[in-house]
Amino acid sequence: MLLVFLLWAVFTSNNLIAKRNRVKQCKSSICVVLKQRNDLIPNLVASVKTYMGHENEVLTRIAELRSKVSAASENEQIKSGTEISSLLAKLQIAVEDYPELKANEQFQNLQWQMVDMENEIQAIRRTYNSAVTDYNNGIEMFPSSIIASWRRHEKQELIAFPESEMKSVKVGDLFK
């Protein structure tokens, strides 16, 4: 009976460690993609700046966040990355007023790269939240919670999205 208990404890401990490492891997993946996106942003901003002057507020905020992110912790990078995503969406809407910019091949290429990057970020965020949920379930559910508390496993936080990203989009406003 003692051997069965010992085997169960080892298996449960290893399983929790694997889940914790999966959470770390997903968090790191988010940071890698955010870094790639942040490397693209100067090109996008430079391209857009030549055409649009009065949207400077959005461009300035994107530049501020991008510079702040490089020295931030993983959690701060993820939070700033979410804010940058919402600002990039505003920028895309503002671009609609500039047909010559939309026709620019370099801008179109950068725009598609940003769209692909945003889709990848969303996919990785979903994967991260799934891994965190699986890990948190493992450390909270009995009987694995016994091993989790003994090994000092701590709950991880899900990535929360800002209210602005949860509001429904009014398509009519996009065409104004």
Side-chain angles (χ1 to χ4, degrees):
M1 190 62 128
L2 181 62
L3 180 62
V4 170
F5 175 76
L6 197 58
L7 288 174
W8 169 82
V10 168
F11 174 77
T12 301
S13 179
N14 288 342
N15 190 24
L16 290 173
I17 290 169
K19 289 177 181 182
R20 180 180 56 206
N21 289 340
R22 176 76 173 131
V23 168
K24 288 179 183 178
Q25 176 197 17
C26 290
K27 187 181 278 191
S28 176
S29 295
I30 291 171
C31 292
V32 166
V33 175
L34 290 174
K35 169 86 170 90
Q36 289 173 338
R37 182 185 64 186
N38 289 339
D39 290 344
L40 279 175
I41 287 175
N43 296 325
L44 179 69
V45 169
S47 178
V48 172
K49 267 187 180 177
T50 60
Y51 289 92
M52 14 188 335
H54 68 279
E55 280 81 4
N56 239 357
E57 178 185 332
V58 173
L59 295 174
T60 303
R61 184 68 183 137
I62 289 171
E64 287 172 2
L65 283 170
R66 183 185 167 273
S67 65
K68 185 174 94 172
V69 164
S70 61
S73 70
E74 285 181 339
N75 289 336
E76 291 168 341
Q77 285 179 7
I78 291 169
K79 287 178 185 173
S80 295
T82 302
E83 187 174 347
I84 289 174
S85 292
S86 64
L87 288 172
L88 289 173
K90 287 180 186 177
L91 181 63
Q92 296 301 333
I93 291 170
V95 163
E96 295 299 317
D97 293 336
Y98 298 88
E100 65 277 5
L101 175 59
K102 290 190 314 184
N104 181 294
E105 190 175 317
Q106 178 186 2
F107 175 75
Q108 286 179 339
N109 182 32
L110 288 169
Q111 186 178 25
W112 285 115
Q113 287 179 16
M114 294 299 287
V115 167
D116 286 345
M117 200 69 60
E118 290 300 315
N119 290 336
E120 190 173 345
I121 290 169
Q122 293 304 321
I124 292 172
R125 285 176 175 165
R126 285 190 299 272
T127 302
Y128 173 82
N129 281 345
S130 176
V132 166
T133 300
D134 190 36
Y135 175 68
N136 287 345
N137 286 343
I139 63 174
E140 291 177 10
M141 291 181 173
F142 183 80
S144 59
S145 61
I146 297 168
I147 301 297
S149 64
W150 177 60
R151 296 289 310 252
R152 292 185 177 85
H153 287 267
E154 295 177 4
K155 277 183 68 171
Q156 299 292 312
E157 289 187 39
L158 297 171
I159 294 176
F161 296 95
E163 287 294 319
S164 61
E165 287 189 28
M166 293 185 196
K167 293 179 183 172
S168 60
V169 176
K170 295 180 182 174
V171 178
D173 292 345
L174 299 177
F175 292 102
K176 291 182 181 179

